Amino acid sequence: MTKAETNFLVKLRSSGLRPTKQRIKICEVLFNRDKTFHFSINDLTNIIQNQHNEKISLATVYNTVHAFKKKGYLKEINIGNDMSYFDTNTTSHHHFYDEQTKELIDINSQEVEIKKTPTPPNGKKIEGVEVTFKISKKSSL
Ligand SMILES: [Zn+2]
């Protein structure tokens, strides 16, 4: 077993998941890469079915992704209009969201400066600020 595979088993077990062939495939797609990966449950299911020729149900992908999120291996990003994306970069950072290509792009946290923050409701504190900049293609004049 390779070091990566051992790592996948650790991730699955610590998330309370039985390491099935399908779930190990999910780990390969998510964690065997050096760049940040943004995806929806549907994207990930399609990638595994079409690019890896592995039969997998939406429910398995859903359960696994949510278990990883709960454990802190993935982060959920809400774009609004019910679109939910997941991110393999779990640090605090900002995004561009391209509404035409439905693509998320990371922005380094140092590139965004928040000048004014609202006072949180009584008994609450601000945990973090994550901003999504919606982008679209410039219209040519
Ligand atoms: Zn990101």
Side-chain angles (χ1 to χ4, degrees):
M1 204 180 284
T2 65
K3 204 178 162 199
E5 282 167 339
T6 312
N7 196 8
F8 297 159
L9 295 187
V10 169
K11 275 194 164 70
L12 286 166
R13 293 215 173 95
S14 66
S15 305
L17 298 167
R18 209 161 47 87
T20 58
K21 194 175 154 219
Q22 279 86 359
R23 290 202 180 108
I24 290 169
K25 186 56 83 180
I26 293 175
C27 289
E28 269 176 46
V29 174
L30 292 184
F31 306 120
N32 247 358
R33 55 177 77 229
D34 35 50
K35 265 187 75 190
T36 306
F37 181 43
H38 301 104
F39 61 94
S40 68
I41 303 279
N42 276 321
D43 293 337
L44 185 56
T45 310
N46 288 335
I47 288 170
I48 293 169
Q49 285 174 345
N50 303 332
Q51 291 174 25
H52 297 264
N53 278 317
E54 188 81 56
K55 281 203 178 87
I56 196 160
S57 70
L58 204 64
T60 302
V61 176
Y62 183 93
N63 293 338
T64 309
V65 164
H66 278 273
F68 282 157
K69 178 200 146 189
K70 213 171 151 199
K71 191 72 193 166
Y73 295 135
L74 293 173
K75 205 161 106 144
E76 190 169 5
I77 297 157
N78 289 303
I79 307 297
N81 55 42
D82 292 334
M83 283 298 285
S84 205
Y85 283 86
F86 293 86
D87 196 337
T88 54
N89 179 357
T90 56
T91 64
S92 183
H93 63 284
H94 311 290
H95 292 100
F96 283 120
Y97 178 63
D98 190 323
E99 295 190 297
Q100 281 142 349
T101 63
K102 312 272 180 237
E103 195 186 357
L104 275 169
I105 304 157
D106 277 354
I107 305 170
N108 207 307
S109 52
Q110 288 97 295
E111 284 187 77
V112 178
E113 201 180 325
I114 313 263
K115 294 263 194 229
K116 197 165 184 262
T117 49
T119 309
N122 265 342
K124 302 282 181 181
K125 66 179 170 100
I126 293 173
E127 268 301 317
V129 183
E130 284 168 17
V131 183
T132 306
F133 294 87
K134 297 192 174 173
I135 55 170
S136 61
K137 211 170 161 205
K138 281 184 186 171
S139 52
S140 45
L141 293 169

